[in-house]
Amino acid sequence: MKVANNFTWLIGGPQGSGVDSSANTFAKTCASVGLFIYGKREYHSNIKGAHSYYPIRISDKFIRSHTDNIDILVSFEKETLLLHHENVVQKGIIIFDKDIAFNKEGDYLLVPIPFNDIIKEAAIKFDKEKDYSKLQIMRNVISVAASLALLKLDFKHLEKVLQSVFTGRRAKLLDINIFSASLTYEYIKSNSFDQKSNYEIIPIENQKERIITSGTTFTGIAKILAGCRFQSYYPITPASDESEYLEAHPEHEVLVIQAEDEIAAITMAIGAALTGVRAATSTSGPGLSLMAESQGWAGINEVPVVIFNYQRGGPSTGLPTRHEQGDLEFSLYAGHSEFPRIVIAPGDIEESFYLTIEAFNLADKYQLPVIFLSDKSIANSIQTLYPFDIDNIKIERGKILSEDQLKEIIEKEGRYKRFKITDDGISPRIFIGQGIFWNTGDEHDELGHISEESNNRTKMFEKRMKKMETILKEVDNSLKYRLYGPQEAEYTIIGWGSVKGPVLDNLEELNKYYSINFLQIILLKPFPSQEVLEILSNSKTIISIEMNYSGQLANLLRKEIGIEVNKRILKWNGRPFSKEEVFKAIIDAINLDTKRIVCNSGI
Amino acid sequence: MKVANNFTWLIGGPQGSGVDSSANTFAKTCASVGLFIYGKREYHSNIKGAHSYYPIRISDKFIRSHTDNIDILVSFEKETLLLHHENVVQKGIIIFDKDIAFNKEGDYLLVPIPFNDIIKEAAIKFDKEKDYSKLQIMRNVISVAASLALLKLDFKHLEKVLQSVFTGRRAKLLDINIFSASLTYEYIKSNSFDQKSNYEIIPIENQKERIITSGTTFTGIAKILAGCRFQSYYPITPASDESEYLEAHPEHEVLVIQAEDEIAAITMAIGAALTGVRAATSTSGPGLSLMAESQGWAGINEVPVVIFNYQRGGPSTGLPTRHEQGDLEFSLYAGHSEFPRIVIAPGDIEESFYLTIEAFNLADKYQLPVIFLSDKSIANSIQTLYPFDIDNIKIERGKILSEDQLKEIIEKEGRYKRFKITDDGISPRIFIGQGIFWNTGDEHDELGHISEESNNRTKMFEKRMKKMETILKEVDNSLKYRLYGPQEAEYTIIGWGSVKGPVLDNLEELNKYYSINFLQIILLKPFPSQEVLEILSNSKTIISIEMNYSGQLANLLRKEIGIEVNKRILKWNGRPFSKEEVFKAIIDAINLDTKRIVCNSGI
Amino acid sequence: MSYKLADLKTDYNIDWCPGCGDFGILNSLMSALVDLQLDLKKVVLVSGIGCSGKTPHFVNITGIHTLHGRDIPFATGIKLANPELTVIDIGGDGNTYGIGAGHFLNAGRRNIDITVLVFNNGVYGLTKGQASPTLKLGMKTKSLPLPNINQAINSLSVAIVSGYTFVARSYAYDVKHLKQIIKKAILHKGLSLIDILQPCPSYNDIHTKEYFEQVVNNSKRIYKLEDEGYDPEVKDPNNHQEIQEKIVKAILKSQEWGDKIPIGVFYKINLPTFEERLIDRYGKKLNPSKSIFEINNKPSTNISNLIEEIKIR
Amino acid sequence: MSYKLADLKTDYNIDWCPGCGDFGILNSLMSALVDLQLDLKKVVLVSGIGCSGKTPHFVNITGIHTLHGRDIPFATGIKLANPELTVIDIGGDGNTYGIGAGHFLNAGRRNIDITVLVFNNGVYGLTKGQASPTLKLGMKTKSLPLPNINQAINSLSVAIVSGYTFVARSYAYDVKHLKQIIKKAILHKGLSLIDILQPCPSYNDIHTKEYFEQVVNNSKRIYKLEDEGYDPEVKDPNNHQEIQEKIVKAILKSQEWGDKIPIGVFYKINLPTFEERLIDRYGKKLNPSKSIFEINNKPSTNISNLIEEIKIR
Ligand SMILES: Cc1ncc(C[n+]2csc(CCOP(=O)(O)OP(=O)(O)O)c2C)c(N)n1
Ligand SMILES: Cc1ncc(C[n+]2csc(CCOP(=O)(O)OP(=O)(O)O)c2C)c(N)n1
Ligand code: SF4
Ligand code: SF4
Ligand SMILES: [Mg+2]
Ligand SMILES: [Mg+2]
């Protein structure tokens, strides 16, 4: 039986050789015929030459994760072949350069491609023989074309996508690329490889409108919609893609400032926030580490500022381009002493959009720093999504005084007190330029002047911390957690952040064997203890899953609600959880006697 | 009945007016006649003028805390009188400037002192009438003399201490000070105030040898003994006293470097440690916040470095000269992702000495950053202590390779691998200059070269983290915790750091009414779960006591051993726990129905 | 609507030491503000940490007392987010040239319209007198156990080569001179530095009032550049030669120290500010703090062009 | 015991882009080390983060690849703790003049005997080509979506006024010249900076090999100061006048950029190093790494004088 519309395609090659754009072209073409895709970028902390690869999973249903198994492996050099061929499934396809001697025992379709011949022919045709070495970049388009031909997809679909890709400066390359692609199609067909292929794409007509995007792009768009108009950053992988996206869209007037370091980035953002603008900074682990002191200042001065932290492999420089969910504990406690702060984590690209807007709302309403804990997997993956519902999006700015309200207060109370002690811990806010107030990182009185007086200290500290209770009281459950699967289940998987995708992609299947649900924690600080406790008390076995060494969420659970997770599924090798791996890990967690199930897949 | 040898004396006055030196003179004089003292400095983040005060508690037994109640209040200006007179006990003494109109209802001995007359007389006698305003500083010596006269202590004891104080540049001031002091003695006697005084000092002969010192000084001495020969720092209150102590003792050849900021301070220390020297940095909250990133580097590169953090009121600049134990959680998790680290907290000045040496031993043996979590109360208090037993002190440097061992390894294995994977997680170490190796903040292979390979990552991360288990296995219990009072008790007070003093000072008395013991946690990371669990499982009610808002140790307990503390005694007003306050708080914890007992004493 | 000196005072207790040079600076600053008669709601003092850092609490306009060494990026964020504001930044010498040196230097690359006042007392005042980056090698103030082991920074030179477009020095007790310089700096479009010689009687017994005001070889140690006819200003910012000459002259002047210490404006040039460069980038003048992005709690930004880019076709 | 170039190579894969200027620098550095025939165990490379920061992994001597911008304080700690070591520090331009600027500046105050090499490519290489502090205002490399909005830092001038005692520039592809400069810098007693013009073919399409080597008005864009008879060296470090002249000359030269770009030593002066100043402080030369403080696991330091100070009498 042929496999239609559900498979994983993987391309690999040296960094800088076009792997990413091939993958994008392939993904877009599949998406354009109504399919769903999920793509994951794996690359070294290197600019050119090191091995990178990009699996694109294709489905006729909405999907959220990658697989370890490869149905179609595409390579135009040896390293990719050697590293990945073992993951190719039986009946799978391996596309490679015919000049490389390669063979593989078993039921595989081996498709050698005459890259050089095709490029040469195209070069001659377009009179570009002297550019022959530059044209090697067409190995990418040839790879994609070969794949699509083997999938029996009509050439016109690829052509359309190429037309949208080769625009602007690159428009002059369109024709030669299309020509090479068509030569490739011919080659596949004339050698009947397509007949031997076990895979095909059958376009789905009349799909609903969909988009294809990555975490950094979608977060960037959300920032614009949220009204963020000031973003300071210092370059760092994988966060800076997001800032560069904003920079590349000056029409939306987000003032993007490349600072001299992360300390400047966050303090600029805090300064900006004091003028009333919604302000943010985006960074990754090492940058977040440098922001610890400033967060305390924002905390004690009750400044709304949002820190987007794209987690990557740590500690220290760690694995700059790889995945980890290691910054949870640090985010909860960064900065000496205590101050109110919110930590939220989106589970996927789509949630990044909604939660970005909520992050700014929360910062404004509760006047505090918010850490938005994304990760490399969300940042760099691409996914097909349904367009979202802008109608449900609300902008809430919290207790902000209008000119009239400010006047009234000054008339009534003699002066405006920035840190007025209130029942919910929140004091009405004004902006610099609107009236007079003081801020200081020292403990202060209601006016904002330094105060070392001991009673004021007790009260002012309490006022600030009270906001944490107010948040838990006021915030909607949908911002605290999401429960997937049966409301009550024997087994509850608990996780946060990007584990959501691979878990959800397995949930239906798992429920054929066991009663399992998945609790995704979104609000990590303040922790929604009551709600989580209630849900967990319904299940017999709790299994945590996170991409770090110690099980930081599992530890947090014990700290916050005193519940011990029964099993921990953990992984810290820098590569996100795959679909199959999570399936097996959950089965193991249920059936084996070990408390720690350590996963290890990925190259 | 007269009160002999057990009372609290307090002096106050504007900063810079000599309050500290008065208190020191008084304390030293009392100590010199065989008494024990405990003194606490309270001062503003200000150089001159703001109110500061310094209670000295005196006893014929070893003491470890201050009291709120004042037996003898000394002031030479109005503010101190107004702020503190309410804490004076019945039958207490109030010494003040006779030019200040002051009265107080009740059974108090009011002692007006003719400061101006005495100073004038002294000025005339020593022909220094033109220096009259400079001589106002003698109000201090007059205050102390008046106090000692009221305590009926022979003048010669004061004289001896003054001789030891006025040396060097200040020697020329000795005579006039002794003269003023003796005038004061005469004044007190001739007015029979001493007869009316309810207090006295009765010298204790043949006391064992004792010392009087502060936390920063004693830690500094311990560093020298421990072999710390490199200390980098950036000025910050209250930590810099310790660095300045080392700087002032160049004969011990500790290279003390004032860095341009705390990031430079810690990275210099790490660099130095790589050459084999025992290296440290000392800081307080804001500085520690800036050191988050570098700790991760030391963690992943397994560098022994000791960070002395003197906690002060936070968050942010907070209360720079006040007390808090707020940095526990941050110290446990500072820096993104995870890496091995030790956090230890001394409970008092004496323990600071032993633990300082152990901190360097631990750093060397386990090749990791150690955070030494002291606090303002320990740093700035003074106490009489018995000299310590150097014989029991060991220096342990852990797995360090000699030239021969290194040669042998290279011969056997071809090359030296800095991060060789071992069973206990510890790899034999060499220093820069000894042989070739690499360090990098990136994930690395055994040689120390960058490696993104996924299996290496899994193993190398695990190797590092394994050290945390090794530590718990190897470290002596006395470094993990101390249990005071009955081995098993109905109530267990649990605390860390400087709460030790006031708790211990109450333990005997409390055990008259209840069965209570006190568990002091010393090793906070890795947490000695097994031992603590065992101890706590013996007691019915667990009461935590800490000087922070949320109860960070109590939260940690739940996280590490799943045990919920029954009551939390908390305080965050910037002033250390007093003896009486802790007594009452524990009684309240036992008898009242609230989970949080919030303390508030101190001006 | 005009305001007087008294209107600028707060009732917050000024807790500097008696005789501290900071008093003179505070007076000069307030007098400058009185002279300028700005819209006070639109003026903000931003400060770092130190004795100097407390200044905003003593002035009755909005005051943002930030972190040690980070006042410049805070001020940068404030100014860029609302360019209508007059932003005056205050830092100690330890604050700005020590821990804040990276920001101090990189701010020069931007030339944002901010005025930076550095209270230069040669010591870390609030932490009890350690040597600051402006204390010269070998000096031993009364607060130091041993002579200073570091070279001093020449902050004026660094500012000039880093891109500051107004670089001056003044003296805390010459209130009239300092006031004039502050006014000029505030009015200057671009990044200004005023390094202010500030006696710290508590810790620095070398650079005292007496020292600065001493008469050496029949003339006061401190002298005014303007009295010498020194012209700091680049007249034609497109004239590379003139710029170079002025820079060299200013650097040489900034190295004069000892019997003669110059105060006044060392260097001034009119160059496009960062705010002006932003206009090129965004095609218009931005005021992010005034951006409207919601109407009745609904987002009002039209992001359809961004969605178009990612739509599947 | 002599070593050759081959001995200095590791088998660790060099993963710079084809054509990257870093290759030239690596070769020059290794050749310089070969020429100097140092005791290799006592040489250490310390680096920051960036493409440049990877260098130590490619050289078969001890290599400490530190944090972004913090290599100078790491190197400082290493050198002070063991002054016998030869310490060579490597940073990118973003690393050293951006995030590391505060350390870069303050290091000048110390004049420790370290050699700092800055791989100056005008971009943040490893993070994909953002503008670095050395990219000039208005330039748009192929990696930038919009022209650079910041002024460039003049790092040579900053180094000179900050107290560096050996300040030079060289060019990555002039391996012979660079090697000579590196040798001089290493041999120089005190803090040396070599700013190295380094083409980054992947992101900087402005400052390419072709650009630097272009012939403009009949002469190569890059020219050597020594060929002009330029004398960078202060002969008498006590001669204030000579110092000033040399500084001014060097600063003027460092501002030359465009059709003519000078390379070579801009400024050199022999002044007491920090290590020498420490001798004054401690009465002798310290080597903390060699300090003996235990014998058979017992502390061997005699602290009785300290105990005496706190003993109660
Ligand atoms: C990160 C950090 N490190 C250290 C300190 C401690 N600190 C407070 S004031 C000060 C020095 C201030 O010196 P300077 O900037 O010269 O100001 P001055 O007091 O002399 O006006 C320092 C180091 C701090 N508040 N924050
Ligand atoms: C604290 C921190 N911030 C950001 C980064 C990300 N980062 C890695 S390399 C780099 C830029 C390197 O540029 P440069 O110093 O010029 O070196 P080059 O790559 O050009 O040699 C940055 C910002 C980091 N590793 N650490
Ligand atoms: S310490 Fe110095 S700078 Fe600070 S207030 Fe006192 S005199 Fe002024
Ligand atoms: S990105 Fe530039 S600097 Fe980095 S290796 Fe490639 S060419 Fe060299
Ligand atoms: Mg200062
Ligand atoms: Mg660079």
Side-chain angles (χ1 to χ4, degrees), chain C residues 3-5 8 26-38 40 43 45 59-61 86 88 179 182-183 186:
Chain C
Y3 57 91
K4 307 176 301 295
L5 206 66
L8 284 177
L26 176 62
N27 285 341
S28 312
L29 173 61
M30 295 202 291
S31 309
L33 289 175
V34 168
D35 281 10
L36 291 172
Q37 290 293 320
L38 304 169
L40 286 184
V43 186
L45 291 182
V59 186
N60 198 23
I61 60 177
T86 298
I88 301 167
K179 179 184 89 170
I182 293 175
K183 281 165 63 179
I186 291 175

Side-chain angles (χ1 to χ4, degrees), chain D:
Chain D
M1 269 254 319
S2 93
Y3 57 90
K4 307 176 301 294
L5 206 65
D7 300 322
L8 284 176
K9 294 186 177 166
T10 61
D11 41 19
Y12 186 75
N13 179 43
I14 304 185
D15 68 347
W16 288 320
C17 309
C20 177
D22 291 354
F23 288 103
I25 306 178
L26 177 63
N27 285 341
S28 312
L29 173 61
M30 295 202 291
S31 308
L33 289 175
V34 168
D35 280 10
L36 292 171
Q37 290 292 321
L38 304 168
D39 175 357
L40 285 183
K41 276 204 296 193
K42 299 228 179 308
V43 185
V44 54
L45 291 182
V46 180
S47 69
I49 295 282
C51 298
S52 44
K54 294 179 179 177
T55 310
H57 297 284
F58 311 143
V59 186
N60 197 23
I61 60 177
T62 294
I64 310 295
H65 180 194
T66 73
L67 290 165
H68 193 44
R70 314 304 170 189
D71 40 293
I72 290 180
F74 269 98
T76 300
I78 292 169
K79 178 71 184 177
L80 291 178
N82 186 352
E84 288 172 15
L85 300 172
T86 299
V87 179
I88 301 168
D89 182 282
I90 291 169
D93 45 354
N95 177 87
T96 307
Y97 308 140
I99 190 168
H103 309 303
F104 175 66
L105 202 74
N106 277 286
R109 295 172 47 221
R110 295 196 192 92
N111 191 32
I112 296 179
D113 186 15
I114 288 174
T115 301
V116 178
L117 311 183
V118 177
F119 294 20
N120 178 355
N121 56 9
V123 291
Y124 285 88
L126 195 52
T127 48
K128 298 190 299 196
Q130 297 87 354
S132 88
T134 61
L135 194 70
K136 302 248 186 298
L137 181 67
M139 297 219 150
K140 191 184 154 323
T141 60
K142 62 178 166 180
S143 51
L144 294 177
L146 300 164
N148 184 22
I149 196 159
N150 291 316
Q151 277 285 7
I153 195 181
N154 183 325
S155 56
L156 299 178
S157 290
V158 172
I160 294 164
V161 300
S162 300
Y164 284 67
T165 49
F166 180 102
V167 179
R169 181 193 280 146
S170 188
Y171 170 53
Y173 286 124
D174 191 340
V175 174
K176 235 167 82 186
H177 183 264
L178 178 53
K179 179 184 90 170
Q180 290 306 338
I181 299 268
I182 292 176
K183 280 166 63 179
K184 280 186 197 161
I186 291 175
L187 294 174
H188 172 74
K189 285 264 152 279
L191 184 62
S192 316
L193 169 73
I194 312 177
D195 184 282
I196 307 167
L197 303 172
Q198 175 239 317
C200 164
S202 289
Y203 297 119
N204 190 333
D205 52 348
I206 298 172
H207 303 105
T208 57
K209 189 168 188 298
E210 292 67 38
Y211 171 84
F212 286 124
E213 297 180 10
Q214 200 181 341
V215 174
V216 192
N217 301 332
N218 290 324
S219 61
K220 276 205 180 170
R221 190 188 298 273
I222 287 190
Y223 72 97
K224 302 198 172 79
L225 288 171
E226 50 270 41
D227 291 350
E228 276 205 335
Y230 177 95
D231 178 8
E233 190 168 349
V234 175
K235 299 291 172 305
D236 176 5
N238 296 314
N239 183 340
H240 184 65
Q241 172 109 24
E242 188 195 354
I243 293 178
Q244 290 224 328
E245 276 166 18
K246 291 272 154 71
I247 286 181
V248 164
K249 230 175 53 175
I251 288 177
L252 287 176
K253 267 291 169 208
S254 79
Q255 304 207 337
E256 221 174 85
W257 186 271
D259 290 351
K260 312 247 357 129
I261 300 177
I263 62 173
V265 182
F266 284 67
Y267 182 69
K268 176 169 161 53
I269 184 169
N270 288 316
L271 288 174
T273 61
F274 194 80
E275 296 87 318
E276 285 158 353
R277 295 180 216 153
L278 282 173
I279 297 177
D280 287 346
R281 177 165 279 210
Y282 289 93
K284 64 187 227 196
K285 205 167 164 174
L286 295 190
N287 185 329
S289 74
K290 295 281 151 56
S291 161
I292 288 161
F293 53 86
E294 55 104 14
I295 296 168
N296 295 329
N297 295 331
K298 290 271 137 209
S300 58
T301 309
N302 182 350
I303 55 168
S304 53
N305 73 319
L306 307 176
I307 300 302
E308 280 306 307
E309 284 176 11
I310 56 173
K311 213 175 250 171
I312 293 168
R313 277 156 231 284

Side-chain angles (χ1 to χ4, degrees), chain A residues 339-454:
Chain A
F339 54 90
R341 158 168 49 208
I342 288 175
V343 179
I344 50 171
D348 53 29
I349 300 172
E350 190 171 15
E351 256 172 28
S352 301
F353 190 90
Y354 295 102
L355 288 182
T356 292
I357 294 161
E358 291 299 342
F360 287 98
N361 287 343
L362 291 168
D364 263 347
K365 277 165 67 182
Y366 303 107
Q367 304 180 9
L368 38 60
V370 174
I371 297 184
F372 184 92
L373 216 44
S374 188
D375 60 42
K376 185 261 167 177
S377 175
I378 294 175
N380 283 164
S381 296
I382 57 169
Q383 197 180 2
T384 35
L385 300 172
Y386 290 111
F388 38 86
D389 194 1
I390 289 197
D391 290 350
N392 288 330
I393 291 174
K394 272 174 80 175
I395 305 279
E396 297 174 286
R397 300 224 57 191
K399 291 196 198 168
I400 282 173
L401 293 178
S402 68
E403 303 303 322
D404 288 347
Q405 289 169 320
L406 176 60
K407 229 187 226 156
E408 207 184 300
I409 285 178
I410 293 175
E411 268 161 27
K412 251 207 290 205
E413 305 179 21
R415 54 197 317 181
Y416 165 73
K417 292 177 173 168
R418 170 68 190 94
F419 302 106
K420 194 180 166 76
I421 295 195
T422 58
D423 284 344
D424 58 1
I426 303 158
S427 321
R429 189 160 85 97
I430 64 171
F431 306 142
I432 300 179
Q434 210 182 336
I436 292 170
F437 66 94
W438 290 272
N439 275 183
T440 170
D442 287 70
E443 189 56 272
H444 44 241
D445 59 19
E446 288 186 307
L447 284 174
H449 284 316
I450 303 170
S451 166
E452 301 197 19
E453 202 275 312
S454 79

Side-chain angles (χ1 to χ4, degrees), chain C residues 92-94 119 121-125 132:
Chain C
D93 45 355
F119 294 20
N121 56 10
V123 290
Y124 284 89
S132 88

